[in-house]
Amino acid sequence: MKYDSEWGIDVSQLSVKLRSVELLTGAADELVKQHLTSHGTLIIPLGGHGVLRREQSSVDMEPDHVYACGPQSTFGLEAGGKDELSVCLIRLDLEEAGLECSHYDEEPSKPRPRTMLFEQLDGRMIGPPGHAAALSRSILEHFASGEPMQLWRARLDCEGLLYELMAAGRKERQSGTRGALERVRTYIDAHYNGELVIERLAAIAELSPKYFVDVFKKTYGVSAMDYVAGVRIKHAKMLMLRSDRLLRDIAHEVGYADEFYFSRKFKQHAGMSPSAYMKKRGRKIAAYGSTSLTGYLLALGIVPFAAPLHLKWSRYYYDRYGADIPVHLDAYRQNVYKESNIAMLESAPPELIVCNHDLEQWERDRLSAIAPLFVMPEDRLGWREKLIRLAERLGEEEEAQRWLSQFDEKSLSLREHIEAHAKPLPSRVLTLKLLKNQLYIHNTFCLHNALYDELGLIPAEASVEPQQNFPLTLQQLAGMEADLVLLLVRQDSETLENWAAIKHSTDWMSLPHVVNRQLHQIESNPWREYSPLAMERMLEDMASLLTGNRP
């Protein structure tokens, strides 16, 4: 088989299997929630202003550009500005030499050439102006018809779009702009402690300073000097937490000759002075495995030294604490990349590692060689007891009792608020989950503790114990009595495609719970996380849902 040296696959044998094509329009802050896409996805902006958010970056989308996300990656879309954002989403798999080449035959530990292909196509501009939008509308129109000939035409147009993107990518690499910017970022990452000014960086890219400033900001969504400062502050935080160096030595080591200027830059990025940061972050506790562990540590006033962070699986912590957690462990699907995460902890050893009880023995052995372990009890013990036991290990019993007392006061206040303002107050609650194309009666420790233990609501199916799931048909759902139905839709592309079809079907629209507006969708974050912080956020969500506001 012949392989193109630029793409790493036999491009002459590539063909497309279209999975879905949809037009999305809206002015909501989150037009597409952060979710896992099972298939490769092309995103073509058609109008308005929007931001594409991925695991580690966000970018302002531009007209006449096509953005690409590989299979098994996550992304979300946010509208911005006064006008509605309109985008075309094309989900597809690639086939090569008659064999399906989607993500299913690519193991995480192995090179993923088709995933890499999507990464290389991302952000390409194809012209003339309006061409990308017109081509995507044509694909949408033909695909929506459902007729075999029209579906064939949609696939041919999509293959044409891919060809134009690959041709544009080859032309851009030949011109060197994108590659030059990547060289600059690589240089900054390696030489952050050197003298880095615009003129020097532009010279590395072989671009004029003015053009370099503009194209860097457009490409990465952040100015070159802000990127430099971010890299330096990140390394400064690591030095503060990993060593006993003096502040002036840390400033010099990350590229700042003036200790006071460094302090100002640090405060701009971290929101506090270096000395305050070091005092606050004196303990080096790592959370390994589940993202929920971070919710336990934060309840004790401890920002972890290392923790799994991801825009989809731990977005709440990623947005609020990402800049203050120096070691970002991979949180992809709750710690798929175990070897690389352990290697990061080996290179920056903490004083204690907090982990889940279900680790494999080889993980325990490796982690125990790095630092002492505290293995969290099973969820069936309850989140309160888990918090208390962690607090006892860390010597934070008073902090745990303070947090629990504050939580109990808030829980009581929210319950009273709901009873006073909910019209009507639901007496029977049914919790459901949609996974792929199957509905389940769904009850977890999170749902059970928040809805029934804290808020005093009554389950419509009392026989369903926590951690149980029972398949449910729409006909069965129609016959169930419930005043409130909460639905959790798993955020992956296959489930979302099925959800789009289900919620517009006649059977769904005729459900009594839908007709009477008793059915509400809840978010995976926080409703799938079992931790003190998630529990607090669930109660706030319910108060808002049932009364229209939070007290």
Side-chain angles (χ1 to χ4, degrees):
M1 186 175 290
K2 298 179 180 179
Y3 289 90
D4 188 296
S5 60
E6 292 189 60
W7 303 105
I9 55 178
D10 185 358
V11 296
S12 69
Q13 297 299 312
L14 280 181
S15 61
V16 171
K17 176 179 282 188
L18 279 175
R19 295 295 186 176
S20 67
V21 185
E22 52 184 327
L23 174 67
L24 299 175
T25 301
D29 289 340
E30 228 176 4
L31 182 60
V32 176
K33 296 183 183 300
Q34 201 77 19
H35 70 286
L36 175 70
T37 176
S38 303
H39 314 288
T41 305
L42 301 180
I43 305 163
I44 303 98
L46 305 178
H49 172 73
V51 177
L52 170 63
R53 295 198 64 176
R54 284 176 280 212
E55 284 95 336
Q56 303 296 334
S57 65
S58 61
V59 62
D60 291 334
M61 293 187 295
E62 299 182 68
D64 304 314
H65 287 65
V66 178
Y67 300 87
C69 298
Q72 294 299 293
S73 64
T74 66
F75 75 90
L77 295 174
E78 297 178 1
K82 297 179 180 179
D83 299 328
E84 287 189 331
L85 171 64
S86 180
V87 297
C88 181
L89 259 58
I90 302 175
R91 300 189 190 273
L92 55 94
D93 288 333
L94 298 179
E95 295 183 353
E96 182 182 358
L99 297 175
E100 186 171 342
C101 297
S102 68
H103 64 281
Y104 296 110
D105 53 9
E106 295 175 4
E107 297 180 14
S109 60
K110 296 181 179 180
R112 297 177 289 170
R114 291 158 197 86
T115 298
M116 294 169 61
L117 184 146
F118 280 98
E119 293 172 355
Q120 294 177 71
L121 296 180
D122 180 50
R124 302 297 177 199
M125 178 180 181
I126 57 175
H131 175 63
L135 189 53
S136 65
R137 289 183 186 278
S138 174
I139 296 171
L140 175 66
E141 180 182 348
H142 293 307
F143 186 85
S145 75
E147 298 178 3
M149 287 289 288
Q150 299 301 311
L151 290 174
W152 182 30
R153 175 59 187 270
R155 180 173 62 82
L156 291 175
D157 283 348
C158 193
E159 289 179 343
L161 174 61
L162 282 172
Y163 171 81
E164 292 191 41
L165 287 171
M166 295 177 77
R170 172 171 290 177
K171 183 177 180 181
E172 185 168 313
R173 281 193 298 278
Q174 290 172 347
S175 68
T177 302
R178 182 94 176 198
L181 293 178
E182 285 300 314
R183 286 201 308 273
V184 171
R185 287 217 304 178
T186 301
Y187 184 86
I188 292 171
D189 292 342
H191 301 87
Y192 59 88
N193 55 352
E195 184 181 355
L196 299 177
V197 294
I198 289 298
E199 289 73 19
R200 181 176 183 80
L201 299 178
I204 294 171
E206 299 181 355
L207 301 172
S208 71
K210 185 178 185 306
Y211 181 67
F212 169 76
V213 168
D214 291 341
V215 75
F216 192 100
K217 179 69 178 291
K218 287 181 178 179
T219 302
Y220 300 117
V222 63
S223 73
M225 296 316 297
D226 279 345
Y227 183 82
V228 169
V231 172
R232 286 174 168 173
I233 298 305
K234 175 184 175 182
H235 283 276
K237 287 179 176 179
M238 293 179 181
L239 290 172
M240 290 175 187
L241 298 176
R242 296 180 186 179
S243 69
D244 296 323
R245 289 181 177 86
L246 296 175
L247 189 59
R248 65 171 179 271
D249 295 333
I250 292 176
H252 295 162
E253 193 159 342
V254 299
Y256 292 105
D258 185 339
E259 174 186 344
F260 300 102
Y261 180 72
F262 162 70
S263 294
R264 290 198 299 273
K265 295 297 290 184
F266 188 96
K267 190 169 185 178
Q268 288 176 5
H269 279 257
M272 65 182 73
S273 68
S275 57
Y277 181 81
M278 286 189 286
K279 182 178 179 181
K280 181 180 179 182
R281 300 297 314 284
R283 307 189 71 175
K284 296 168 62 177
I285 312 296
Y288 173 87
S290 170
T291 58
S292 66
L293 297 173
T294 303
Y296 284 92
L297 288 169
L298 289 170
L300 299 176
I302 297 172
V303 178
F305 169 74
L309 292 171
H310 193 284
L311 263 176
K312 178 183 185 297
W313 284 279
S314 57
R315 178 164 182 175
Y316 180 82
Y317 304 123
Y318 181 97
D319 288 343
R320 288 162 179 78
Y321 301 98
D324 295 313
I325 297 175
V327 180
H328 289 196
L329 303 180
D330 196 307
Y332 179 79
R333 284 193 159 178
Q334 297 289 351
N335 202 25
V336 167
Y337 298 104
K338 298 179 180 181
E339 282 284 359
S340 61
N341 282 343
I342 292 174
M344 279 192 273
L345 293 178
E346 287 174 335
S347 65
E351 65 186 64
L352 178 73
I353 300 172
V354 180
C355 58
N356 292 325
H357 69 280
D358 56 354
L359 293 186
E360 298 179 56
Q361 188 59 48
W362 73 267
E363 287 181 274
R364 292 199 184 205
D365 294 341
R366 289 277 299 279
L367 292 171
S368 297
I370 300 170
L373 298 185
F374 176 78
V375 180
M376 290 287 280
E378 295 184 35
D379 287 346
R380 67 181 66 256
L381 191 65
W383 67 271
R384 290 172 181 268
E385 184 62 26
K386 291 178 66 174
L387 179 66
I388 290 171
R389 294 198 183 182
L390 177 61
E392 290 172 348
R393 174 61 178 85
L394 298 175
E396 297 288 351
E397 293 94 332
E398 289 186 8
E399 185 65 23
Q401 291 302 328
R402 184 202 64 78
W403 196 92
L404 287 170
S405 295
Q406 185 181 55
F407 173 85
D408 288 338
E409 290 178 7
K410 186 169 189 176
S411 176
L412 178 60
S413 174
L414 289 172
R415 184 169 178 171
E416 291 174 346
H417 177 75
I418 291 171
E419 291 174 352
H421 298 282
K423 296 182 175 43
L425 180 66
S427 60
R428 294 162 300 179
V429 180
L430 180 65
T431 52
L432 306 176
K433 176 177 71 174
L434 178 66
L435 175 59
K436 297 185 178 178
N437 63 349
Q438 178 63 59
L439 269 176
Y440 297 88
I441 298 177
H442 180 58
N443 190 14
T444 64
F445 290 118
C446 316
L447 293 163
H448 197 91
N449 290 165
L451 298 174
Y452 313 131
D453 295 341
E454 297 297 335
L455 296 181
L457 302 175
I458 306 298
E461 285 294 316
S463 61
V464 181
E465 296 295 325
Q467 305 307 101
Q468 288 186 328
N469 295 286
F470 291 102
L472 187 71
T473 66
L474 291 183
Q475 290 73 25
Q476 290 172 325
L477 175 58
M480 297 187 71
E481 295 185 4
D483 305 305
L484 176 66
V485 180
L486 300 178
L487 172 64
L488 183 66
V489 178
R490 200 172 85 163
Q491 299 296 296
D492 66 81
S493 58
E494 183 177 355
T495 302
L496 291 171
E497 288 169 17
N498 286 312
W499 171 230
I502 291 171
K503 69 182 180 181
H504 291 113
S505 68
T506 302
D507 288 344
W508 181 267
M509 297 296 290
S510 61
L511 285 172
H513 317 91
V514 175
V515 173
N516 297 326
R517 298 185 179 182
Q518 296 168 319
L519 190 145
H520 302 273
Q521 188 176 343
I522 55 176
E523 304 292 340
S524 297
N525 183 2
W527 288 92
R528 289 186 64 194
E529 178 184 322
Y530 195 51
S531 79
L533 258 65
M535 193 63 55
E536 184 177 51
R537 293 168 56 215
M538 288 180 224
L539 299 189
E540 292 173 346
D541 280 0
M542 283 303 297
S544 179
L545 172 64
L546 295 176
T547 70
N549 62 80
R550 296 182 181 180

